[in-house]
Amino acid sequence: MAALALEELGIVGCGGAGFPTHVKLAARDIDYFIVNGAECEPLLHKDKELLLHQTAPFLQGLKLALDLTRAKRAFIGVKKKYAKVLEHLRSAIDDPRIDLLPLGDFYPAGDEYELVYEASQRLIPYGGIPLNIGCVVANVETLLLVGRGQPMTTKVLTITGQVPRPVTVEVPIGLSVREALALAGLHDLTGLAIIDGGPMMGRLLGDLEREVVTKTCGGLIALPLAHPLIRKMSRSLKDHTRIARSACDQCTDCTELCPRFLLGYPIKPHKAMRTAQLSAANDQAWSIESVFCCECGLCSLFSCPEDLPPREMAVAAKKTHLARGVKLSDWKGAPSVHPMRSARRVSIDRLLKKIGLLDYDRKAPFTPVDLRVERVRLPLKMHIGVPVQPLVKPGDRVAAGQKIGAIPPQKLGAVLHASISGRVAEVTADAITIARE
Ligand code: SF4
Ligand code: SF4
């Protein structure tokens, strides 16, 4: 597939940030192409379900990606505990370039830095990207979309938590979150909060009348408003800062268990806590290494014995320093793995217990759905880069799969397509709405 054709499909990374896939697959002559099927966020199942139920187009996409990038070798990272998935893939793989990479059941096994190290024994340099050390990482669903070779108009997500029937489904992008939740049997949202993504790094959804399934949504988790995780996620930075100043005894557990610290990066969240305790603003040079925080949440949700918010303080410091122009590449030297790294991994079981989600750890089987969607709202920016430029106006008729948003010239972005057929109902500064006729 030519790079231009790939660009016209509007595919973005489905593992989180939404980096445009045509740009990622423009890399050439790489050593390792690494598929991220770790899915380390608790409760989510979409990657494992896709590897089982969409194996042929996924492998087709992977082989196309290997051809395009001229990769020497590929690894598919899947947790060892999913023995059935590994066995299934082993019998389906028919390309000598592709191997399996069985992973431990720890958090965050799917972090890009962790996965690259597990696959290649190489560490991403300070301020670098995997390509700097000959690696490209892509998500399972992203490669499935490449294999299908069609415009990105649907999204696969797990819907779970306090729902009658946890499921993994494929739905049109732009579907309302309310309609998506109904697919898991959840119709009455009274007393519930909804997380977009996983419990560790997801975001709490606000106005459910406006929220829609986007290109990067991997899961919807319903939890009671009174659940401790929801209460923590609902706190303002002001409240987090007040709590941070209350009781930190500088034990350094948050740092000693930090996955990026254990890989050898300079992050030290206890210093961000100290800065918050001792300074009026969390912007002192003392916590400048917070720019290396990947926001995984382990320190705040698991490591701290006092239930304090080191992540939130580290992220606040990171934003301050990045806004000042601090660059990760300014650091001298190179990362070096901590000798205790393998002994300090946090298993998903321990994590589930600590964050109070053990009772919600249920299967969410891939379930085909036959939906007649009446309306979709398609945000103009569901990817890293700039928003797309609308190519349609209110009243225009569009067909499912039709290109309705273009990448501005010379900019980073991902093409937008209509996810249902119908008439354009509204074009605003941030979204295009299509209503079925
Ligand atoms: S934030 Fe918690 S884990 Fe970190 S140093 Fe303070 S008390 Fe210890
Ligand atoms: S959120 Fe905490 S544990 Fe995770 S990288 Fe940042 S400082 Fe480390």
Side-chain angles (χ1 to χ4, degrees), residues 39-291:
E39 203 155 50
C40 59
E41 276 273 11
L43 309 191
L44 302 187
H45 297 277
K46 84 172 172 74
D47 292 340
K48 164 171 70 70
E49 291 294 314
L50 288 179
L51 288 171
L52 278 175
H53 298 283
Q54 299 283 319
T55 321
F58 158 71
L59 286 174
Q60 172 74 8
L62 176 54
K63 285 188 258 185
L64 270 169
L66 297 184
D67 292 342
L68 271 177
T69 57
R70 297 196 288 264
K72 293 188 185 77
R73 241 184 129 181
F75 287 110
I76 306 174
V78 178
K79 288 188 174 171
K80 278 180 216 152
K81 71 172 180 180
Y82 297 131
K84 190 172 145 194
V85 180
L86 287 166
E87 199 43 56
H88 176 72
L89 286 172
R90 204 165 278 126
S91 59
I93 292 170
D94 59 357
D95 187 317
R97 295 172 294 179
I98 306 173
D99 273 318
L100 294 174
L101 177 69
L103 301 167
D105 190 23
F106 61 87
Y107 181 84
D111 171 62
E112 193 163 75
Y113 285 53
E114 294 277 340
L115 195 62
V116 164
Y117 181 68
E118 291 293 321
S120 67
Q121 299 295 296
R122 298 175 185 175
L123 288 165
I124 298 171
Y126 297 155
I129 58 172
L131 194 55
N132 297 138
I133 48 170
C135 300
V136 167
V137 181
N139 176 261
V140 171
E141 188 184 356
T142 306
L143 293 166
L144 165 65
L145 293 166
V146 171
R148 285 179 180 168
Q150 294 162 357
M152 183 175 185
T153 58
T154 61
K155 188 72 193 71
V156 179
L157 69 158
T158 294
I159 306 169
T160 189
Q162 189 153 309
V163 301
R165 286 186 315 276
V167 283
T168 297
V169 287
E170 181 164 8
V171 299
I173 292 164
L175 178 73
S176 78
V177 161
R178 268 186 187 277
E179 285 174 273
L181 291 167
L183 297 171
L186 184 63
H187 301 281
D188 181 3
L189 302 184
T190 312
L192 294 174
I194 309 297
I195 299 171
D196 174 356
M200 299 298 288
M201 295 184 74
R203 87 187 158 101
L204 211 49
L205 291 181
D207 180 2
L208 290 180
E209 302 311 318
R210 277 187 64 76
E211 297 283 3
V212 296
V213 173
T214 64
K215 287 185 177 183
T216 54
C217 173
L220 293 172
I221 302 174
L223 288 176
L225 283 167
H227 192 284
L229 183 65
I230 298 299
R231 296 223 311 265
K232 277 185 188 171
M233 290 176 91
S234 308
R235 276 180 200 141
S236 64
L237 179 59
K238 195 173 163 199
D239 284 347
H240 280 304
T241 307
R242 186 175 47 75
I243 295 166
R245 288 179 177 155
S246 67
C248 175
D249 58 12
Q250 290 289 289
C251 69
T252 74
D253 282 10
C254 50
T255 293
E256 295 293 334
L257 286 175
C258 169
R260 286 285 167 96
F261 171 78
L262 290 169
L263 271 177
Y265 295 89
I267 173 78
K268 291 188 181 69
H270 75 278
K271 288 185 72 178
M273 291 296 283
R274 191 191 300 164
T275 303
Q277 274 186 320
L278 302 179
S279 315
N282 194 16
D283 63 353
Q284 305 298 306
W286 298 111
S287 47
I288 197 167
E289 59 286 288
S290 294
V291 292

Side-chain angles (χ1 to χ4, degrees), residues 391-403:
L391 299 172
V392 291
K393 58 186 186 315
D396 286 353
R397 275 211 174 94
V398 292
Q402 181 181 327
K403 182 172 165 180

